[in-house]
Amino acid sequence: MRTRARVLTALGALAAGGLIVASLLRHATVEPIAESTAAASPAALFAASFPDVDGRLQPLQQWRGQVLVVNFWATWCPPCLEEMPELSALQQKYRAQGLVIVGISTDDVAKVQQFARASPVSYPLLSGDYAAMTLAEQLGNDQSALPYTVLLRRDGSIASGRFGRLNIEALEQALQPLLATSP
């Protein structure tokens, strides 16, 4: 009987600790990534094509010349899902100024389609499956973390990259000078 009580107590302590860590991570500030992103090349991004929620292949080259926010995400990733409504609002706010947000999921097309039906967003969602993580790594995601977001200037060069859940205010501040440049 005592062993059962000890096991239950230990499990309860582990669960409580997990909740505390999850809460701290959810509210952590995400800083720009300078080193890994600076060495990354956007060539792989603009050479890639992924299917959208309708199954049509979308070449990322079509968004060259825009200020581009590429957000790598997954349907099973809580921080990814938390930031999507904010990214959607940002897309609507700055679309006329040349902002394009693209979500590239590490899920297969069927899962992305199911997600998009339940939780529509104002920006394109693409299914990259396993190739999405390879592309994210080529763009500086040396931690294989999700979400991972890359900001690109109108000329196609990488401005910055960010691991983890975005601080939308910080993202908006980073976008301001990029949007101010003429196309």
Side-chain angles (χ1 to χ4, degrees), residues 64-88:
R64 193 174 206 129
Q66 306 293 314
V67 173
L68 187 60
V69 175
V70 180
N71 179 253
F72 292 92
W73 67 286
T75 58
W76 49 262
C77 169
C80 299
L81 304 181
E82 289 173 3
E83 69 188 9
M84 291 178 89
E86 296 169 330
L87 287 170
S88 192

PDB file of all heavy atoms in Angstrom, residues 64-88:
ATOM      1  N   ARG A  64       8.334  35.716 -54.104  1.00  0.00           N
ATOM      2  CA  ARG A  64       9.573  36.502 -54.139  1.00  0.00           C
ATOM      3  C   ARG A  64       9.209  37.944 -54.489  1.00  0.00           C
ATOM      4  O   ARG A  64       8.328  38.200 -55.286  1.00  0.00           O
ATOM      5  CB  ARG A  64      10.535  35.938 -55.165  1.00  0.00           C
ATOM      6  CG  ARG A  64      11.907  36.525 -54.997  1.00  0.00           C
ATOM      7  CD  ARG A  64      12.904  35.857 -55.912  1.00  0.00           C
ATOM      8  NE  ARG A  64      14.187  36.003 -55.284  1.00  0.00           N
ATOM      9  CZ  ARG A  64      15.042  35.040 -55.061  1.00  0.00           C
ATOM     10  NH1 ARG A  64      14.771  33.827 -55.434  1.00  0.00           N
ATOM     11  NH2 ARG A  64      16.185  35.281 -54.475  1.00  0.00           N
ATOM     12  N   GLY A  65       9.861  38.902 -53.867  1.00  0.00           N
ATOM     13  CA  GLY A  65       9.553  40.312 -54.081  1.00  0.00           C
ATOM     14  C   GLY A  65       8.614  40.863 -53.025  1.00  0.00           C
ATOM     15  O   GLY A  65       8.376  42.063 -52.973  1.00  0.00           O
ATOM     16  N   GLN A  66       8.083  39.990 -52.178  1.00  0.00           N
ATOM     17  CA  GLN A  66       7.233  40.394 -51.060  1.00  0.00           C
ATOM     18  C   GLN A  66       8.045  40.296 -49.765  1.00  0.00           C
ATOM     19  O   GLN A  66       9.063  39.605 -49.715  1.00  0.00           O
ATOM     20  CB  GLN A  66       6.023  39.452 -50.940  1.00  0.00           C
ATOM     21  CG  GLN A  66       5.209  39.301 -52.201  1.00  0.00           C
ATOM     22  CD  GLN A  66       4.514  40.595 -52.573  1.00  0.00           C
ATOM     23  OE1 GLN A  66       3.924  41.252 -51.737  1.00  0.00           O
ATOM     24  NE2 GLN A  66       4.601  40.967 -53.833  1.00  0.00           N
ATOM     25  N   VAL A  67       7.587  40.962 -48.733  1.00  0.00           N
ATOM     26  CA  VAL A  67       8.127  40.698 -47.403  1.00  0.00           C
ATOM     27  C   VAL A  67       7.460  39.394 -46.985  1.00  0.00           C
ATOM     28  O   VAL A  67       6.230  39.290 -46.959  1.00  0.00           O
ATOM     29  CB  VAL A  67       7.807  41.833 -46.414  1.00  0.00           C
ATOM     30  CG1 VAL A  67       8.235  41.447 -45.006  1.00  0.00           C
ATOM     31  CG2 VAL A  67       8.481  43.120 -46.855  1.00  0.00           C
ATOM     32  N   LEU A  68       8.263  38.395 -46.717  1.00  0.00           N
ATOM     33  CA  LEU A  68       7.749  37.044 -46.527  1.00  0.00           C
ATOM     34  C   LEU A  68       8.045  36.545 -45.115  1.00  0.00           C
ATOM     35  O   LEU A  68       9.180  36.643 -44.639  1.00  0.00           O
ATOM     36  CB  LEU A  68       8.390  36.127 -47.568  1.00  0.00           C
ATOM     37  CG  LEU A  68       7.924  34.698 -47.694  1.00  0.00           C
ATOM     38  CD1 LEU A  68       6.436  34.632 -48.047  1.00  0.00           C
ATOM     39  CD2 LEU A  68       8.732  33.983 -48.780  1.00  0.00           C
ATOM     40  N   VAL A  69       7.012  36.030 -44.464  1.00  0.00           N
ATOM     41  CA  VAL A  69       7.152  35.369 -43.170  1.00  0.00           C
ATOM     42  C   VAL A  69       6.813  33.908 -43.414  1.00  0.00           C
ATOM     43  O   VAL A  69       5.686  33.584 -43.799  1.00  0.00           O
ATOM     44  CB  VAL A  69       6.204  35.961 -42.107  1.00  0.00           C
ATOM     45  CG1 VAL A  69       6.285  35.160 -40.803  1.00  0.00           C
ATOM     46  CG2 VAL A  69       6.518  37.424 -41.849  1.00  0.00           C
ATOM     47  N   VAL A  70       7.788  33.036 -43.256  1.00  0.00           N
ATOM     48  CA  VAL A  70       7.572  31.607 -43.442  1.00  0.00           C
ATOM     49  C   VAL A  70       7.563  30.970 -42.060  1.00  0.00           C
ATOM     50  O   VAL A  70       8.553  31.029 -41.327  1.00  0.00           O
ATOM     51  CB  VAL A  70       8.661  30.976 -44.328  1.00  0.00           C
ATOM     52  CG1 VAL A  70       8.402  29.484 -44.512  1.00  0.00           C
ATOM     53  CG2 VAL A  70       8.724  31.679 -45.679  1.00  0.00           C
ATOM     54  N   ASN A  71       6.412  30.382 -41.735  1.00  0.00           N
ATOM     55  CA  ASN A  71       6.211  29.798 -40.414  1.00  0.00           C
ATOM     56  C   ASN A  71       6.104  28.286 -40.550  1.00  0.00           C
ATOM     57  O   ASN A  71       5.161  27.777 -41.164  1.00  0.00           O
ATOM     58  CB  ASN A  71       4.936  30.384 -39.797  1.00  0.00           C
ATOM     59  CG  ASN A  71       4.627  29.826 -38.432  1.00  0.00           C
ATOM     60  OD1 ASN A  71       3.707  29.037 -38.279  1.00  0.00           O
ATOM     61  ND2 ASN A  71       5.373  30.240 -37.430  1.00  0.00           N
ATOM     62  N   PHE A  72       7.079  27.568 -40.007  1.00  0.00           N
ATOM     63  CA  PHE A  72       7.059  26.103 -40.004  1.00  0.00           C
ATOM     64  C   PHE A  72       6.307  25.656 -38.765  1.00  0.00           C
ATOM     65  O   PHE A  72       6.623  26.084 -37.647  1.00  0.00           O
ATOM     66  CB  PHE A  72       8.488  25.550 -40.006  1.00  0.00           C
ATOM     67  CG  PHE A  72       9.221  25.830 -41.292  1.00  0.00           C
ATOM     68  CD1 PHE A  72       9.985  26.971 -41.426  1.00  0.00           C
ATOM     69  CD2 PHE A  72       9.120  24.967 -42.366  1.00  0.00           C
ATOM     70  CE1 PHE A  72      10.656  27.251 -42.616  1.00  0.00           C
ATOM     71  CE2 PHE A  72       9.784  25.229 -43.559  1.00  0.00           C
ATOM     72  CZ  PHE A  72      10.550  26.376 -43.681  1.00  0.00           C
ATOM     73  N   TRP A  73       5.323  24.784 -38.942  1.00  0.00           N
ATOM     74  CA  TRP A  73       4.416  24.417 -37.860  1.00  0.00           C
ATOM     75  C   TRP A  73       3.942  22.974 -38.029  1.00  0.00           C
ATOM     76  O   TRP A  73       4.253  22.323 -39.027  1.00  0.00           O
ATOM     77  CB  TRP A  73       3.222  25.372 -37.840  1.00  0.00           C
ATOM     78  CG  TRP A  73       2.332  25.235 -39.048  1.00  0.00           C
ATOM     79  CD1 TRP A  73       2.589  25.672 -40.319  1.00  0.00           C
ATOM     80  CD2 TRP A  73       1.072  24.580 -39.109  1.00  0.00           C
ATOM     81  NE1 TRP A  73       1.566  25.348 -41.157  1.00  0.00           N
ATOM     82  CE2 TRP A  73       0.615  24.673 -40.448  1.00  0.00           C
ATOM     83  CE3 TRP A  73       0.277  23.936 -38.165  1.00  0.00           C
ATOM     84  CZ2 TRP A  73      -0.591  24.122 -40.858  1.00  0.00           C
ATOM     85  CZ3 TRP A  73      -0.927  23.403 -38.586  1.00  0.00           C
ATOM     86  CH2 TRP A  73      -1.354  23.501 -39.916  1.00  0.00           C
ATOM     87  N   ALA A  74       3.158  22.506 -37.066  1.00  0.00           N
ATOM     88  CA  ALA A  74       2.541  21.176 -37.135  1.00  0.00           C
ATOM     89  C   ALA A  74       1.209  21.208 -36.400  1.00  0.00           C
ATOM     90  O   ALA A  74       1.024  21.993 -35.468  1.00  0.00           O
ATOM     91  CB  ALA A  74       3.455  20.129 -36.504  1.00  0.00           C
ATOM     92  N   THR A  75       0.302  20.369 -36.825  1.00  0.00           N
ATOM     93  CA  THR A  75      -1.028  20.320 -36.211  1.00  0.00           C
ATOM     94  C   THR A  75      -0.985  19.832 -34.774  1.00  0.00           C
ATOM     95  O   THR A  75      -1.894  20.112 -34.007  1.00  0.00           O
ATOM     96  CB  THR A  75      -1.979  19.411 -37.020  1.00  0.00           C
ATOM     97  OG1 THR A  75      -1.412  18.100 -37.095  1.00  0.00           O
ATOM     98  CG2 THR A  75      -2.204  19.965 -38.423  1.00  0.00           C
ATOM     99  N   TRP A  76       0.053  19.116 -34.383  1.00  0.00           N
ATOM    100  CA  TRP A  76       0.176  18.559 -33.026  1.00  0.00           C
ATOM    101  C   TRP A  76       0.959  19.478 -32.088  1.00  0.00           C
ATOM    102  O   TRP A  76       1.194  19.137 -30.930  1.00  0.00           O
ATOM    103  CB  TRP A  76       0.867  17.194 -33.085  1.00  0.00           C
ATOM    104  CG  TRP A  76       2.128  17.201 -33.904  1.00  0.00           C
ATOM    105  CD1 TRP A  76       2.270  16.808 -35.197  1.00  0.00           C
ATOM    106  CD2 TRP A  76       3.423  17.652 -33.486  1.00  0.00           C
ATOM    107  NE1 TRP A  76       3.568  16.990 -35.627  1.00  0.00           N
ATOM    108  CE2 TRP A  76       4.292  17.502 -34.590  1.00  0.00           C
ATOM    109  CE3 TRP A  76       3.935  18.167 -32.312  1.00  0.00           C
ATOM    110  CZ2 TRP A  76       5.640  17.848 -34.537  1.00  0.00           C
ATOM    111  CZ3 TRP A  76       5.281  18.510 -32.261  1.00  0.00           C
ATOM    112  CH2 TRP A  76       6.115  18.342 -33.370  1.00  0.00           C
ATOM    113  N   CYS A  77       1.355  20.660 -32.559  1.00  0.00           N
ATOM    114  CA  CYS A  77       2.243  21.573 -31.821  1.00  0.00           C
ATOM    115  C   CYS A  77       1.431  22.710 -31.180  1.00  0.00           C
ATOM    116  O   CYS A  77       1.031  23.636 -31.881  1.00  0.00           O
ATOM    117  CB  CYS A  77       3.280  22.116 -32.805  1.00  0.00           C
ATOM    118  SG  CYS A  77       4.273  23.486 -32.209  1.00  0.00           S
ATOM    119  N   PRO A  78       1.177  22.666 -29.858  1.00  0.00           N
ATOM    120  CA  PRO A  78       0.371  23.712 -29.212  1.00  0.00           C
ATOM    121  C   PRO A  78       0.879  25.142 -29.436  1.00  0.00           C
ATOM    122  O   PRO A  78       0.077  26.012 -29.778  1.00  0.00           O
ATOM    123  CB  PRO A  78       0.383  23.326 -27.734  1.00  0.00           C
ATOM    124  CG  PRO A  78       0.561  21.846 -27.749  1.00  0.00           C
ATOM    125  CD  PRO A  78       1.494  21.584 -28.915  1.00  0.00           C
ATOM    126  N   PRO A  79       2.188  25.443 -29.294  1.00  0.00           N
ATOM    127  CA  PRO A  79       2.618  26.827 -29.538  1.00  0.00           C
ATOM    128  C   PRO A  79       2.377  27.263 -30.985  1.00  0.00           C
ATOM    129  O   PRO A  79       2.091  28.431 -31.245  1.00  0.00           O
ATOM    130  CB  PRO A  79       4.110  26.833 -29.206  1.00  0.00           C
ATOM    131  CG  PRO A  79       4.393  25.579 -28.498  1.00  0.00           C
ATOM    132  CD  PRO A  79       3.295  24.625 -28.803  1.00  0.00           C
ATOM    133  N   CYS A  80       2.487  26.317 -31.918  1.00  0.00           N
ATOM    134  CA  CYS A  80       2.215  26.637 -33.325  1.00  0.00           C
ATOM    135  C   CYS A  80       0.770  27.090 -33.488  1.00  0.00           C
ATOM    136  O   CYS A  80       0.491  28.103 -34.140  1.00  0.00           O
ATOM    137  CB  CYS A  80       2.438  25.408 -34.206  1.00  0.00           C
ATOM    138  SG  CYS A  80       4.099  24.714 -34.199  1.00  0.00           S
ATOM    139  N   LEU A  81      -0.136  26.347 -32.892  1.00  0.00           N
ATOM    140  CA  LEU A  81      -1.559  26.632 -33.027  1.00  0.00           C
ATOM    141  C   LEU A  81      -1.946  27.914 -32.300  1.00  0.00           C
ATOM    142  O   LEU A  81      -2.824  28.646 -32.768  1.00  0.00           O
ATOM    143  CB  LEU A  81      -2.383  25.453 -32.509  1.00  0.00           C
ATOM    144  CG  LEU A  81      -2.069  24.098 -33.163  1.00  0.00           C
ATOM    145  CD1 LEU A  81      -2.957  23.005 -32.583  1.00  0.00           C
ATOM    146  CD2 LEU A  81      -2.161  24.152 -34.670  1.00  0.00           C
ATOM    147  N   GLU A  82      -1.271  28.212 -31.192  1.00  0.00           N
ATOM    148  CA  GLU A  82      -1.563  29.433 -30.424  1.00  0.00           C
ATOM    149  C   GLU A  82      -1.232  30.693 -31.215  1.00  0.00           C
ATOM    150  O   GLU A  82      -1.929  31.699 -31.110  1.00  0.00           O
ATOM    151  CB  GLU A  82      -0.764  29.442 -29.119  1.00  0.00           C
ATOM    152  CG  GLU A  82      -1.249  28.439 -28.100  1.00  0.00           C
ATOM    153  CD  GLU A  82      -0.317  28.354 -26.893  1.00  0.00           C
ATOM    154  OE1 GLU A  82       0.680  29.121 -26.821  1.00  0.00           O
ATOM    155  OE2 GLU A  82      -0.583  27.508 -26.024  1.00  0.00           O
ATOM    156  N   GLU A  83      -0.158  30.661 -32.009  1.00  0.00           N
ATOM    157  CA  GLU A  83       0.262  31.868 -32.717  1.00  0.00           C
ATOM    158  C   GLU A  83      -0.453  32.072 -34.055  1.00  0.00           C
ATOM    159  O   GLU A  83      -0.409  33.157 -34.628  1.00  0.00           O
ATOM    160  CB  GLU A  83       1.775  31.879 -32.911  1.00  0.00           C
ATOM    161  CG  GLU A  83       2.309  30.842 -33.872  1.00  0.00           C
ATOM    162  CD  GLU A  83       3.822  30.752 -33.884  1.00  0.00           C
ATOM    163  OE1 GLU A  83       4.494  31.363 -33.025  1.00  0.00           O
ATOM    164  OE2 GLU A  83       4.353  30.065 -34.769  1.00  0.00           O
ATOM    165  N   MET A  84      -1.143  31.072 -34.538  1.00  0.00           N
ATOM    166  CA  MET A  84      -1.764  31.170 -35.867  1.00  0.00           C
ATOM    167  C   MET A  84      -2.838  32.260 -35.974  1.00  0.00           C
ATOM    168  O   MET A  84      -2.849  32.990 -36.976  1.00  0.00           O
ATOM    169  CB  MET A  84      -2.279  29.809 -36.319  1.00  0.00           C
ATOM    170  CG  MET A  84      -1.119  28.864 -36.623  1.00  0.00           C
ATOM    171  SD  MET A  84      -1.647  27.232 -37.108  1.00  0.00           S
ATOM    172  CE  MET A  84      -1.775  27.489 -38.879  1.00  0.00           C
ATOM    173  N   PRO A  85      -3.727  32.443 -35.004  1.00  0.00           N
ATOM    174  CA  PRO A  85      -4.686  33.550 -35.121  1.00  0.00           C
ATOM    175  C   PRO A  85      -3.991  34.913 -35.157  1.00  0.00           C
ATOM    176  O   PRO A  85      -4.431  35.825 -35.873  1.00  0.00           O
ATOM    177  CB  PRO A  85      -5.561  33.407 -33.871  1.00  0.00           C
ATOM    178  CG  PRO A  85      -5.419  31.984 -33.465  1.00  0.00           C
ATOM    179  CD  PRO A  85      -4.026  31.588 -33.852  1.00  0.00           C
ATOM    180  N   GLU A  86      -2.892  35.059 -34.425  1.00  0.00           N
ATOM    181  CA  GLU A  86      -2.151  36.320 -34.434  1.00  0.00           C
ATOM    182  C   GLU A  86      -1.463  36.541 -35.780  1.00  0.00           C
ATOM    183  O   GLU A  86      -1.436  37.658 -36.298  1.00  0.00           O
ATOM    184  CB  GLU A  86      -1.129  36.327 -33.300  1.00  0.00           C
ATOM    185  CG  GLU A  86      -1.782  36.271 -31.922  1.00  0.00           C
ATOM    186  CD  GLU A  86      -0.790  36.014 -30.804  1.00  0.00           C
ATOM    187  OE1 GLU A  86       0.238  35.338 -31.038  1.00  0.00           O
ATOM    188  OE2 GLU A  86      -1.052  36.480 -29.690  1.00  0.00           O
ATOM    189  N   LEU A  87      -0.900  35.478 -36.351  1.00  0.00           N
ATOM    190  CA  LEU A  87      -0.291  35.581 -37.675  1.00  0.00           C
ATOM    191  C   LEU A  87      -1.349  35.926 -38.721  1.00  0.00           C
ATOM    192  O   LEU A  87      -1.100  36.722 -39.626  1.00  0.00           O
ATOM    193  CB  LEU A  87       0.419  34.274 -38.048  1.00  0.00           C
ATOM    194  CG  LEU A  87       1.726  33.987 -37.318  1.00  0.00           C
ATOM    195  CD1 LEU A  87       2.199  32.567 -37.596  1.00  0.00           C
ATOM    196  CD2 LEU A  87       2.792  35.000 -37.699  1.00  0.00           C
ATOM    197  N   SER A  88      -2.519  35.339 -38.573  1.00  0.00           N
ATOM    198  CA  SER A  88      -3.622  35.612 -39.493  1.00  0.00           C
ATOM    199  C   SER A  88      -4.018  37.085 -39.436  1.00  0.00           C
ATOM    200  O   SER A  88      -4.215  37.736 -40.476  1.00  0.00           O
ATOM    201  CB  SER A  88      -4.810  34.714 -39.150  1.00  0.00           C
ATOM    202  OG  SER A  88      -5.774  34.746 -40.157  1.00  0.00           O
TER     203      SER A  88
END
